[in-house]
Amino acid sequence: MSDRGLTGRQPGAVQNALAVLEVVAHAGAGVTAKEVGELAHLPPATTYRLLNLLVGEEYLIRMPDLRGFALGRRAAALTGAAPEPRLSRAARDELRRLRGSLRVGVHLVVFGPTALRCADVDPELPLRDPALLERHLHAGAAGRLLLADQPDWREVHPPSRLVRLTASTAVRPHQLQARLDETAERGWAAQTGEVHDDVSCLAAPVRGADGALVAAVVLSAPRPRPPVDHLDAARGCAAALEPLLA
Amino acid sequence: MPAPALATTSPVEGLRRRRLGFLEVLAQSVAVLAPTAALVTVPALVATAGGSLTVPAFAAAGSLMVLVAWSVRHAARRMAAVGGVYSYCARGLGPVAGVVCGWSLVVAYAALAVSSCVGAALYASALVGWAQHPCVVAVGVVVVACGVGLVAARGVQLSARLVLALEAVSLTLVLVLLGVLVVRGGPQAGATEPAGAVVVDALPTPGGAALALVLAVTAFMGFESSSVLGVESRRPLLFVPRAVLWTPAVGGVVLLVGAAAQMALLREAPVAVLLSGAPLDGLVRAEAGGPLPSLLDAAAAAAFVACTSGAVTALVRVLFSMGREGVLPAALGDVHPVTGTPVRALLTALPLVALVPVVALLAGAAPRAVLSGAVTVAAFGSLLAYALVSAAAPALLRRIGELTPAPLVVGVLASTSCAALLLVAAVAGPWTGGQSLALVFAALVVPGVARVVWLRRRHPERLARAGVYDEPTRRSVL
């Protein structure tokens, strides 16, 4: 339901909007409308209109004092995938320790604000297709952790992208909503046969000191049910990874 | 990078955030403006005061409300609040003016809920063919209030969808009905009765014209009420301002068309019908047989139920906001953990909304008198709030360093016009007993003012919190 008033025939408006975004990104959180106008060389009325447009669309947010601006979550989606992961040796050792004690696949995914990346895949029992997990956030357990953590998952993963991977994939918004509500409530995610027919997995979150989702320990197994018997082990590993990743 | 100033939770935490789509937000404003209910009641009243200036009065009232809406929109694009217009006012003009505005909004929404409750009961009892005895209407009021309360307690999304459906149905029905009547050519004047043209084509006195304008404004009350859904709408800073501006603009066109059609019909109807208080009902019953009268009753009842629901939603959220700030008792800021509804505010407000008309009806007041009396009180409250918020919008823009000439000019114009209309309404009195209703309104505002004085003396820190809004949290920034 966005404004279609602006067309491709008004490149000036698009350039100005991008200039405003760039100025806010450079100047940092708290830059005022007046400063944005001066830095972007735009007249005040145009600046205010563009700022309000970008705030309405949530590329920008207004700071609590209403005067300042900062980049919003939606601007994060512009940068695309999660950052290229660089894991410390301590983190890899922690994962190796868990792999030695379990007979299911143990993987680590890291989260960006709106995307995830498979950072360390179990070499013995690898993920069949890591790209599927990265693209179809609604189907995999780790993707559901990310979506459940959003104020509104539709912003990160629009309902049009609810692709059916198997017969049991949740492809209706209310279905997914129910699963995300469940995920948010119990604090970990699981799925059965929604990415590949014969694989189920669960994901335990690794959170930073401020509660932000940083990474997840994912256990995968060719079983008809998620490996919940190893949930405590996955959570223990996630807790051990917290100081190493966050 | 998240700035240190950002909190981890919003001050309005607990409400179900980000659920409502644009149509649901729009429905809130449309329901409280209640175009169908306004079409059924207001044009004939305007005509008795304004005569030939009836349609221009609607046009002028609509234009003024669009100006107010334009001012409200500037604030709504900058903060997502639960208190709506009250919060904008508190942030623009300061807490004292803000709380006065908020309390007059509380009075306005409550009075509107009272009047639409009575209206719903009145038309529903007509629909099922019961006598419109005050006791029957009183029972109807209790039923409507309980129903609306139950839906409101289940969550904002359900009530938003309910009002959307009811409004769509009722508006379609009434427009079809008016269309049918106009096509049929309306009633023919009897030889013995003077036709309504005597009233409809009369040139009004200046006082009459002013009164007509005031009355026409009452048809637009509530267009701002979607501003209370700031937290609950999916894109508050986009949907709310759009709904606030579209509602009076589109509603104005519907009212204008409806009023013009009614004028054409009433011109040829007997004067007695025009002065009956519910001329459209009289017209339909006298001239059109078959299912049309029931159609009108169904449409009006649906619109009044939607209006009750919308007014209760708005009322409860303003009370919730004041409870969270500590301006009113903190318990009003409680939220049901599962449904996310401000359940304490609902349980406080709803019994009063039902009890006042029930007591009045059981004391022997005519249902239509209760309906119009409550609407008049609501009109005073709305006009005061509009005058304040139109002034608050440019003040808010100035405070955050974003004032340009256009909002200043429009804000001053809208604010002074609303204040002038408020004076006219208080002096001239929209209906018989208008002045006494102005006194009733003044008496209802007194507790709010007393609260402000008390807070200022005892708890200035609580007063300073007035006008909380959904602040961005750390999760909302990159």
Side-chain angles (χ1 to χ4, degrees), chain A residues 75-141:
Chain A
L78 291 176
T79 61
E84 197 61 49
R86 283 195 209 95
L87 295 186
S88 62
R89 191 179 304 154
R92 290 190 191 276
D93 286 346
E94 201 59 56
L95 288 166
R96 204 169 300 133
R97 204 164 305 143
L98 185 61
R99 280 172 193 150
S101 66
L102 299 181
R103 296 179 61 188
V104 297
V106 175
H107 323 281
L108 184 77
V109 301
V110 292
F111 295 107
T114 61
L116 69 86
R117 181 156 295 191
C118 297
D120 193 284
V121 175
D122 195 329
E124 309 273 319
L125 300 159
L127 286 166
R128 204 174 294 169
D129 189 352
L132 275 185
L133 292 186
E134 291 177 2
R135 265 180 56 208
H136 302 292
L137 298 176
H138 62 290

Side-chain angles (χ1 to χ4, degrees), chain A residues 1 29 33 48 52 55-58 61-64 66-67 69 71-74 76 149 151-152 155, chain B residues 1 3 6 18 22 77-79 234-235 237-238 242 399-402 404 469 471-472 475-478:
Chain A
M1 196 99 34
Y48 305 155
N52 280 318
V55 169
E57 295 286 349
E58 293 173 355
I61 58 147
R62 248 173 215 280
M63 302 298 280
L66 297 181
R67 300 174 67 98
F69 294 86
L71 288 185
R73 297 177 63 84
R74 235 176 140 200
D149 205 48
D152 183 2
E155 285 172 11
Chain B
M1 283 296 108
L6 290 178
R18 313 230 152 195
F22 177 65
R77 288 175 80 173
R78 287 162 172 90
M79 51 190 272
R234 203 169 292 146
R235 286 223 193 293
L237 300 177
L238 202 68
R242 200 179 287 170
R399 188 169 282 189
I400 62 173
E402 293 180 31
T404 47
Y469 47 93
E471 291 173 15
R475 293 207 324 169
S476 53
V477 295
L478 177 58

Side-chain angles (χ1 to χ4, degrees), chain B residues 125-161:
Chain B
S125 64
L127 180 64
V128 293
W130 288 347
Q132 298 184 357
H133 189 272
C135 289
V136 175
V137 177
V139 172
V141 165
V142 173
V143 172
V144 171
C146 289
V148 164
L150 281 178
V151 172
R154 291 285 305 279
V156 69
Q157 195 155 25
L158 182 63
S159 54
R161 286 179 181 172

Side-chain angles (χ1 to χ4, degrees), chain A:
Chain A
M1 196 99 34
S2 60
D3 221 343
R4 300 278 171 236
L6 184 70
T7 67
R9 273 165 288 180
Q10 289 148 283
V14 177
Q15 283 166 341
N16 289 344
L18 291 173
V20 166
L21 273 178
E22 204 178 345
V23 163
V24 176
H26 276 296
V31 61
T32 66
K34 205 167 165 230
E35 289 164 345
V36 171
E38 282 163 9
L39 290 167
H41 308 292
L42 292 171
T46 310
T47 312
Y48 305 155
R49 198 161 47 232
L50 285 173
L51 281 170
N52 280 318
L53 201 80
L54 292 168
V55 169
E57 295 286 349
E58 293 173 355
Y59 288 104
L60 297 180
I61 58 147
R62 248 173 215 280
M63 302 298 280
D65 64 356
L66 297 181
R67 300 174 67 98
F69 294 86
L71 288 185
R73 297 177 63 84
R74 235 176 140 200
L78 291 176
T79 61
E84 197 61 49
R86 283 195 209 95
L87 295 186
S88 62
R89 191 179 304 154
R92 290 190 191 276
D93 286 346
E94 201 59 56
L95 288 166
R96 204 169 300 133
R97 204 164 305 143
L98 185 61
R99 280 172 193 150
S101 66
L102 299 181
R103 296 179 61 188
V104 297
V106 175
H107 323 281
L108 184 77
V109 301
V110 292
F111 295 107
T114 61
L116 69 86
R117 181 156 295 191
C118 297
D120 193 284
V121 175
D122 195 329
E124 309 273 319
L125 300 159
L127 286 166
R128 204 174 294 169
D129 189 352
L132 275 185
L133 292 186
E134 291 177 2
R135 265 180 56 208
H136 302 292
L137 298 176
H138 62 290
R144 280 191 196 155
L145 274 184
L146 179 65
L147 294 184
D149 205 48
Q150 308 292 320
D152 183 2
W153 59 268
R154 290 172 187 81
E155 285 172 11
V156 172
H157 200 77
S160 59
R161 281 174 54 192
L162 297 182
V163 179
R164 185 182 294 282
L165 298 176
T166 70
S168 30
T169 313
V171 289
R172 293 183 175 276
H174 68 89
Q175 254 179 329
L176 180 60
Q177 183 69 56
R179 290 177 200 194
L180 294 180
D181 287 345
E182 195 188 353
T183 301
E185 198 175 312
R186 65 189 180 190
W188 51 275
Q191 65 84 16
T192 305
E194 295 192 47
V195 185
H196 305 289
D197 274 318
D198 51 347
V199 179
S200 50
C201 63
L202 70 78
V206 180
R207 288 184 184 275
D210 57 353
L213 194 60
V214 177
V217 174
V218 179
L219 304 186
S220 69
R223 293 187 193 176
R225 241 174 298 159
V228 280
D229 41 334
H230 302 314
L231 175 64
D232 287 337
R235 284 177 145 174
C237 180
L241 285 170
E242 252 165 45
L244 305 174
L245 295 177

